[in-house]
Amino acid sequence: MYLFLFYPSALVFPAMIVLLIALCFTDGALSQIRYSVPEEAEHGTLVGNIAEDLGLDLTKLASRRFQLVPSSRTPYLEVNLENGVLFVNEKIDREQICKQSASCQLNMEVFLENPLELFRVEIEVVDINDNPPSFPETDLTVEISESATPGTRFPLESAFDPDVGSNALRTYDITTNNYFYLDVQTQTDGNKFAELVLEKPLDREQQAAHRYVLTAVDGGQPPRTGTALLVVKVLDSNDNVPVFEQPVYTVSLSENAPVGTLVIQLNATDLDEGLNGEIVYSFSNHISSHVKELFSIDPRTGRIEVRGEVDFEESSLYQIFIQAKDLGPNAVPAHCKVLVKVADMNDNAPEITFSTVTESVSEKAAPGTVIALLSLTDRDAEENGQIHVEILGDVPFKLKSSFRNYFTIVTDGFLNRELADSYSVTVVARDKGTPSLASSKSIRVQVSDENDNVPTFTQSVYDVYVTENNVPGAYIHAVMALDPDIGQNALISYSILECDIQDMSVKTYVSINEETGYLYALRSFDYEQLKDFTFLVRAKDSGAPELSSNATVKVIIVDQNDNAPLVLAPLGKNGTAREPLPRSAEPGYLVTRVVAMDADDGENARLSYSIQRGNENGMFRLDWRTGELRTARRMSAKRDPHQQYDLVIEVRDHGQPPLSSSASVLVMVVDSMAEGRGVGDKVGTSKAKDGALDLTLILIIALGSVSFIFLLVMIVLAVRCQKDKKLNIYTCLTSDCCLGCSSCCSRQGRSRKKKLSKADIMLVQSNVNVSGPGTAQVPVEESGSFGSHHQNQNYCYQVCLTPESAKTDLLFLKPCSPSRSTDTDHNPCGAIVSGYTDQQPDIISNGSILSNETKHQRTELSYLVERPRRVNSSAFQEADLVSSKDSGHGDSEQGDSDHDATNRGHSSGKFGVSYFFFLSEVI
C-alpha cells in the first residue's frame, strides 16, 4: 500500500514538497517513508513528522524507546524523539554532499521496542538553482586556420554548473555574427558542451581576430548565466589534420588497478610531413578535472595509463576526451572519445552493524526471544555484494531475516544458566566473490538466573550420635544443602519441621542455625529416658517462588556410665542384712544371694560381685558373676553363741570409669535353722516397730516443712507483687507456654503433684538479646567433647519452665564461671557457663531474687528429690536410700549419686554446668 502525503509549501518552506511513501509489510514490523527537503534550508526547517506519518501513538514514543539507529545519524538532520518531528539541523549543501550525482539522498533508520519495529527514512535533498554556470577562464582563445572550410567544428571549453537536473547547464549562446554559430551537444552522462561551427570561410588578411561573448545558461527558474570572452585567432593554413582510427574507443579496466596500468594505446595519423605531420596527444579542454586525476596520456605516444585509484564503488564508467594535433602551423586538432568501463573487484568485506543488543536474557526466555538487531552491507556489486551470514559455534541462538539486509538474533531453544551463564555470539558475514571476503563481530549475552533448582541436602538421612548428659546448647552436627542457583535464589535458610517427641515439641530438644545448618542440643539427654528420636530438617532458598527440600535427622543417644549399681537384695535395717548360718553347714552352703541391677546399658550395666571386708579368714566365697555367697569350708566346732561375720560386699559395673555400690551382710552362726528363724522374727518385729516410728517421724517432718515453705512462698509472692514483678522467670515463648506469674500461681492449686525433673527445664534459642522479666541470658559454650574443630559460638537462650513446674517454689541457679557477671539488672536470672566457683548461688523464689539474708536462711534447708527407681519394690522403697540426681532427663552433676547411703558422693561430676534446685511440692 502506498500513501502519498503533501505538505503545503506555505507551512514548511517555500517550494518544498514533502513526499511520504509508507511501505507496509504483512507482519507490520517494518516500514519505509520518504521525504524531500530543498538544499540550503535554514536550521529548524520542518521536514516532516515521522511518528504522525507512520500512524504511531505519540504518547508511547518514550516508553517504546523511540530512537535513531546510531550508524544512520547525519549532522544535517535531527529527529525530536519525543514527538517524532524531523527537522534540519545544519544547512545542507547538496553540491558538497553528492557532487554531480543525479540523485542525492540521505538515509536514516529509526526503531521502536516492545515490539521491535524498524523504519527506514529516506530524505531526498532537492537541488535549487543556487549556482550560476561558470567557465574555467574568463578569456577563451580558439585558433582557426584560414584554410578551414565551412562546417569545421571547434570544441569550446565547457562551463561548469554544480547544480543538477533542471538547474544544471542547459545551453550556450554566442554573440550574433556572420562567421560562426554554436552547436550544443549532450554527452551520454547528460553534460552539455558547445562546438564552434565555421559558417563562412575566414580571411586572415581581412580580420586576424574575432571577439565574441560566450554565454552559458542553466535551466533554473529564473535561469542563471555565466559568460566568457571568446577570442578567435585566424591562422595560416595547415590543410591536413590528424585522423583517429575510430571516433569512440571502449575499454575495460579492473578497479584498484595499480598506477601505470595501460588503459589504451591511441594512434592518429596525419598525411602532412615534417612538423605538420608530427602529432601531439592531449586531453580535450572540456574533460573533467577528476578524470585528469585518475588518468594520464603520453603526448608523444598517445598511451593512456592509470594515474590514481580507480574505485568501482565511486564510478563504474569514465569518459576521456582526447585531441590529436600536429605541430605544423595553423594545426587543426582531431578528437576522439575513450569510454573506460570499470570492472568490479571483490575488495570490500561485508560490514556488520549492531543496532541494538540485549545485555542479558532470562534462562526462562521462550525460544524465539530477540537478543539483537543487526544489518549487513557490502559496497561491491553482483556476486561480490551478495552476503551469506551465520552464527559460529554450537550456541542456542539463530539468525532470523527481518527486512532486506536486516537480521535478528533470537534464542533457538531453552537456556540453562547452570550449564552456561554467558555466551559469546559471533556473527560471520561472507560474500560470494572470488576470493570470498568475510568479517565477523561478537557480542556477549549474559544468562540471568531463575529460581529453577531445589536445594539438595548432601545426605538424605543424617545419623547424629550424641553422648548422654551433654551440655545444653552444645553443637552436635551440621547439615548442608546445595543450590546451583546464584544470588538470592541460592541463599539457603534451614529450619526444623514441627513434630512431637514424648509429647513435647522437637524444638525443645534441638535447634538449628538457619544460616549455617548447625544443630544444637537444647537439653541434656538421658539415655535411660530417650534412646533416639527422628525429625525433619528443611532447606529453603530465597527465590521467587521459594523452593525447598527435606532431610531426615536421626539423633542417637549414646549411653554413659552415669548410674551406679543398685543392691536389691538382701535387704536389712539401716542398710545391713542379717542372714543365719547353721553351724553344721557344709562347704558350698548358700548363705544368701546378692541381687543388684544397673540402669545403664551394655558394659555399663554388666556387674561383678566381690567381698571387700569381713572375710579375712576365708570363711566365705562369692561368685563374682551371680552374687551367690557360699561357705568355703566347715564351721569351727567351737560353740560361740555370739559368733557372727560382718561382710561388706561390693557390686561394680564395667563402665568407664566404673561405678560401684556396697551392701552390708551380717552372717550370724546358729546351731539350727529354727534358731535362725527366731532371730529373724525378732529382727522382723524390731524392723516393723522401727519402721512405724520412722514413718510417723517422716510424715511429721514433711508436713511441717511443707507448711513452712507454703508460708514462705506466700510471703515472697506478696513481696514480689509489691515490687511490680521485678523478675519473672516464666518466659512466654509461645502463646501456650508460661503465661506469666499470675497464671502460673493460679495453676498451683490445680496442678497435679509432680516432682521437678530435667524435662521441666528447656533452653529455647532466642535471637533477641533482651534482658528483662522472664528472660535469662545464658551464654552456652560448646563443649570440647563435641567436635572441638568447630569454632566456638555463644548463643543467648531463654530459660522457661514447663507448665508442670509451676509447683516449684524456689529455684537455685548457680553460675560456675569465675567470670560471672555481677550486673544483676541486665542478667537477673544468672548465667550458666563452663567452670567452677565457690560463690553463693542466687535463689529465685517465684520469679524474685531473694536477699542475701533470706538466701542464708534458705541454704540451711536441704531436700533431695528422690529419683524414681526402675524396680518397683516395696521393700526397696522402704529402704533408706536417697538420690541427689534428677529424674534422668539431664546430666550427671557433681554430688549426684544413685548409691545407697553407704556410697553417697562416690560419683564424680562430668560437666561444667551445674543446676541446684531447692524444691517443695504442694500437697
Side-chain angles (χ1 to χ4, degrees):
M1 179 181 69
Y2 294 90
L3 178 63
F4 297 92
L5 296 180
F6 296 93
Y7 289 86
S9 58
L11 297 178
V12 182
F13 190 81
M16 181 184 74
I17 299 177
V18 179
L19 174 63
L20 170 64
I21 300 176
L23 180 60
C24 301
F25 291 83
T26 56
D27 55 2
L30 298 163
S31 296
Q32 177 174 307
I33 57 176
R34 175 173 295 178
Y35 295 97
S36 294
V37 60
E39 65 171 331
E40 305 296 332
E42 296 296 331
H43 172 74
T45 300
L46 175 66
V47 178
N49 191 311
I50 298 175
E52 288 183 356
D53 296 338
L54 290 174
L56 302 178
D57 188 353
L58 298 181
T59 62
K60 296 183 179 179
L61 293 182
S63 62
R64 295 186 62 188
R65 296 184 62 187
F66 178 72
Q67 56 186 302
L68 280 171
V69 175
S71 61
S72 67
R73 286 186 177 273
T74 174
Y76 302 103
L77 298 170
E78 188 61 53
V79 177
N80 188 325
L81 300 180
E82 295 181 359
N83 54 25
V85 172
L86 177 64
F87 60 92
V88 176
N89 186 47
E90 184 178 320
K91 183 179 290 187
I92 303 174
D93 188 349
R94 184 189 181 284
E95 289 74 26
Q96 181 181 358
I97 298 174
C98 301
K99 306 299 181 184
Q100 294 299 112
S101 297
S103 174
C104 185
Q105 182 174 291
L106 299 177
N107 297 322
M108 303 175 67
E109 285 98 19
V110 297
F111 68 95
L112 296 92
E113 297 180 357
N114 301 322
L116 178 65
E117 291 184 290
L118 177 67
F119 305 97
R120 180 180 179 88
V121 182
E122 296 180 356
I123 302 95
E124 182 181 6
V125 180
V126 180
D127 181 55
I128 64 173
N129 193 22
D130 58 340
N131 294 286
S134 62
F135 290 91
E137 296 177 3
T138 58
D139 293 334
L140 302 178
T141 301
V142 178
E143 295 179 349
I144 303 175
S145 174
E146 63 179 350
S147 61
T149 60
T152 304
R153 295 174 175 270
F154 303 93
L156 299 178
E157 288 193 24
S158 300
F160 176 73
D161 191 343
D163 295 326
V164 295
S166 61
N167 297 321
L169 180 64
R170 182 176 59 85
T171 187
Y172 293 89
D173 198 7
I174 193 172
T175 306
T176 305
N177 61 85
N178 297 324
Y179 295 95
F180 302 96
Y181 70 91
L182 291 179
D183 185 12
V184 180
Q185 297 186 18
T186 303
Q187 300 178 7
T188 57
D189 58 358
N191 293 328
K192 297 181 181 297
F193 65 94
E195 290 182 341
L196 185 65
V197 182
L198 182 62
E199 189 177 19
K200 181 179 179 180
L202 298 175
D203 188 357
R204 180 181 176 279
E205 287 69 22
Q206 290 184 359
Q207 188 175 355
H210 301 265
R211 288 177 173 81
Y212 308 106
V213 176
L214 182 62
T215 303
V217 182
D218 64 19
Q221 293 296 330
R224 289 176 175 264
T225 61
T227 61
L229 178 62
L230 177 62
V231 179
V232 179
K233 292 183 178 181
V234 181
L235 304 175
D236 288 339
S237 64
N238 180 10
D239 53 346
N240 288 299
V241 297
V243 178
F244 286 99
E245 295 178 351
Q246 58 189 65
V248 178
Y249 296 87
T250 302
V251 295
S252 180
L253 178 67
S254 298
E255 72 168 323
N256 302 324
V259 175
T261 301
L262 176 64
V263 178
I264 191 172
Q265 176 71 57
L266 297 177
N267 186 27
T269 60
D270 194 324
L271 297 177
D272 294 330
E273 294 181 354
L275 293 178
N276 291 333
E278 188 176 345
I279 301 173
V280 177
Y281 300 91
S282 64
F283 291 121
S284 296
N285 293 331
H286 55 269
I287 194 172
S288 66
S289 59
H290 181 58
V291 173
K292 292 180 181 180
E293 293 174 357
L294 296 179
F295 303 98
S296 65
I297 187 170
D298 191 306
R300 291 293 181 181
T301 63
R303 179 185 176 92
I304 299 178
E305 296 179 348
V306 176
R307 180 183 179 185
E309 182 179 355
V310 180
D311 190 357
F312 174 85
E313 287 72 36
E314 183 177 347
S315 178
S316 61
L317 178 66
Y318 294 95
Q319 298 183 79
I320 307 175
F321 295 91
I322 307 297
Q323 70 177 11
K325 183 178 181 181
D326 59 33
L327 297 178
N330 305 318
V332 177
H335 299 83
C336 74
K337 181 170 62 175
V338 178
L339 296 179
V340 181
K341 294 183 178 180
V342 181
D344 181 39
M345 301 295 293
N346 191 24
D347 59 342
N348 292 284
E351 296 180 1
I352 303 173
T353 303
F354 281 95
S355 300
T356 179
V357 176
T358 301
E359 295 182 356
S360 65
V361 59
S362 171
E363 62 178 328
K364 282 190 175 180
T369 301
V370 177
I371 303 302
L373 172 67
L374 59 93
S375 61
L376 304 175
T377 56
D378 194 320
R379 298 178 60 194
D380 294 323
E382 298 180 352
E383 288 190 354
N384 296 332
Q386 295 180 9
I387 304 173
H388 172 72
V389 62
E390 62 180 351
I391 295 178
L392 284 184
D394 184 15
V395 293
F397 301 97
K398 65 180 180 180
L399 286 169
K400 184 179 179 182
S401 178
S402 295
F403 172 69
R404 290 187 180 176
N405 288 333
Y406 282 90
F407 294 85
T408 56
I409 300 177
V410 299
T411 56
D412 186 20
F414 291 97
L415 306 178
N416 189 342
R417 190 209 62 80
E418 288 69 40
L419 297 179
D421 58 357
S422 66
Y423 292 92
S424 178
V425 182
T426 302
V427 179
V428 177
R430 189 182 307 274
D431 60 31
K432 296 183 179 180
T434 304
S436 178
L437 299 180
S439 62
S440 64
K441 275 192 176 182
S442 298
I443 60 174
R444 173 68 63 175
V445 179
Q446 301 290 337
V447 181
S448 60
D449 185 46
E450 295 289 343
N451 192 26
D452 56 350
N453 290 281
V454 177
T456 305
F457 282 94
T458 55
Q459 299 175 224
S460 59
V461 177
Y462 292 87
D463 290 332
V464 180
Y465 293 88
V466 180
T467 305
E468 68 169 329
N469 303 319
N470 57 288
V471 178
Y475 165 87
I476 60 174
H477 200 68
V479 296
M480 178 182 292
L482 304 176
D483 194 323
D485 293 324
I486 59 174
Q488 287 292 114
N489 296 331
L491 186 60
I492 299 176
S493 60
Y494 301 88
S495 62
I496 297 176
L497 297 185
E498 185 64 47
C499 66
D500 288 341
I501 300 173
Q502 293 184 344
D503 297 330
M504 296 188 68
S505 173
V506 67
K507 295 183 180 179
T508 65
Y509 287 78
V510 290
S511 68
I512 190 170
N513 188 309
E514 66 176 10
E515 296 179 357
T516 63
Y518 289 177
L519 291 170
Y520 299 91
L522 295 183
R523 60 171 64 193
S524 182
F525 299 118
D526 189 351
Y527 176 82
E528 289 72 37
Q529 298 295 325
L530 181 65
K531 291 181 171 53
D532 61 71
F533 59 91
T534 302
F535 58 91
L536 293 178
V537 175
R538 171 167 292 174
K540 179 178 62 177
D541 60 29
S542 301
E546 296 178 342
L547 301 178
S548 63
S549 64
N550 300 335
T552 301
V553 178
K554 183 176 182 181
V555 179
I556 303 171
I557 313 300
V558 180
D559 183 43
Q560 273 192 336
N561 191 26
D562 57 345
N563 291 283
L566 178 64
V567 179
L568 303 179
L571 298 176
K573 182 179 180 182
N574 296 329
T576 301
R578 299 175 182 272
E579 298 293 340
L581 175 63
R583 192 178 298 275
S584 60
E586 296 292 332
Y589 176 80
L590 177 62
V591 178
T592 186
R593 181 177 180 180
V594 180
V595 179
M597 60 84 64
D598 196 315
D600 292 322
D601 198 7
E603 286 294 306
N604 297 329
R606 189 165 64 89
L607 305 179
S608 61
Y609 303 84
S610 63
I611 301 176
Q612 292 294 105
R613 181 167 51 84
N615 192 30
E616 289 79 5
N617 57 0
M619 182 63 192
F620 303 95
R621 58 182 174 85
L622 181 66
D623 191 316
W624 68 274
R625 289 184 297 268
T626 64
E628 292 181 349
L629 181 65
R630 297 178 181 272
T631 58
R633 55 185 175 82
R634 288 180 177 274
M635 297 293 298
S636 173
K638 182 179 179 181
R639 292 179 176 271
D640 186 359
H642 302 289
Q643 186 176 4
Q644 60 183 10
Y645 296 90
D646 189 4
L647 303 179
V648 176
I649 299 176
E650 182 187 56
V651 182
R652 181 181 297 269
D653 60 27
H654 289 74
Q656 292 297 328
L659 301 178
S660 62
S661 298
S662 61
S664 179
V665 179
L666 183 61
V667 180
M668 297 177 295
V669 180
V670 296
D671 292 332
S672 64
M673 289 304 298
E675 183 180 351
R677 285 192 295 268
V679 173
D681 293 341
K682 294 179 181 180
V683 172
T685 303
S686 177
K687 288 181 180 179
K689 293 180 180 179
D690 293 342
L693 180 60
D694 292 342
L695 180 60
T696 303
L697 180 60
I698 290 173
L699 290 176
I700 294 173
I701 294 174
L703 289 175
S705 300
V706 168
S707 300
F708 172 76
I709 293 173
F710 178 74
L711 179 61
L712 179 62
V713 168
M714 298 304 296
I715 294 174
V716 171
L717 287 176
V719 172
R720 185 188 61 182
C721 294
Q722 291 177 357
K723 293 181 178 180
D724 296 328
K725 301 179 182 179
K726 290 184 178 179
L727 181 64
N728 182 9
I729 63 172
Y730 302 109
T731 303
C732 297
L733 298 179
T734 60
S735 61
D736 55 356
C737 186
C738 306
L739 300 177
C741 173
S742 60
S743 61
C744 289
C745 292
S746 64
R747 288 200 303 266
Q748 289 182 2
R750 298 191 304 267
S751 303
R752 60 184 178 87
K753 181 173 71 174
K754 180 181 177 182
K755 295 181 180 180
L756 182 67
S757 64
K758 288 185 179 180
D760 296 328
I761 301 177
M762 54 187 170
L763 297 182
V764 180
Q765 186 174 355
S766 174
N767 294 325
V768 182
N769 189 10
V770 179
S771 297
T775 304
Q777 296 182 1
V778 184
V780 179
E781 196 170 288
E782 290 186 13
S783 174
S785 62
F786 295 97
S788 60
H789 62 282
H790 293 282
Q791 184 179 359
N792 290 339
Q793 301 184 18
N794 293 331
Y795 292 86
C796 180
Y797 290 86
Q798 296 177 334
V799 177
C800 181
L801 300 181
T802 58
E804 289 80 357
S805 63
K807 298 181 291 295
T808 301
D809 294 325
L810 296 179
L811 173 64
F812 287 77
L813 298 180
K814 180 178 182 181
C816 298
S817 173
S819 60
R820 175 187 175 190
S821 173
T822 59
D823 190 357
T824 59
D825 293 335
H826 293 81
N827 194 6
C829 294
I832 303 175
V833 296
S834 300
Y836 298 91
T837 182
D838 294 331
Q839 296 180 359
Q840 182 68 24
D842 293 335
I843 302 177
I844 300 175
S845 176
N846 288 335
S848 299
I849 300 178
L850 301 184
S851 64
N852 291 333
E853 180 180 358
T854 309
K855 289 181 183 179
H856 180 70
Q857 296 175 359
R858 296 299 180 266
T859 53
E860 293 179 355
L861 300 177
S862 176
Y863 289 92
L864 298 177
V865 180
E866 181 179 5
R867 175 174 180 170
R869 301 301 179 183
R870 295 194 176 184
V871 180
N872 188 11
S873 172
S874 61
F876 174 66
Q877 292 175 355
E878 294 177 359
D880 187 17
L881 298 176
V882 294
S883 174
S884 62
K885 188 169 182 179
D886 53 41
S887 61
H889 290 278
D891 40 346
S892 178
E893 311 293 348
Q894 288 187 354
D896 290 352
S897 175
D898 286 337
H899 299 174
D900 53 46
T902 62
N903 199 31
R904 292 174 185 171
H906 182 75
S907 177
S908 62
K910 297 183 179 65
F911 301 94
V913 179
S914 301
Y915 299 87
F916 294 83
F917 298 97
F918 180 71
L919 309 173
S920 69
E921 297 184 8
V922 178
I923 301 177

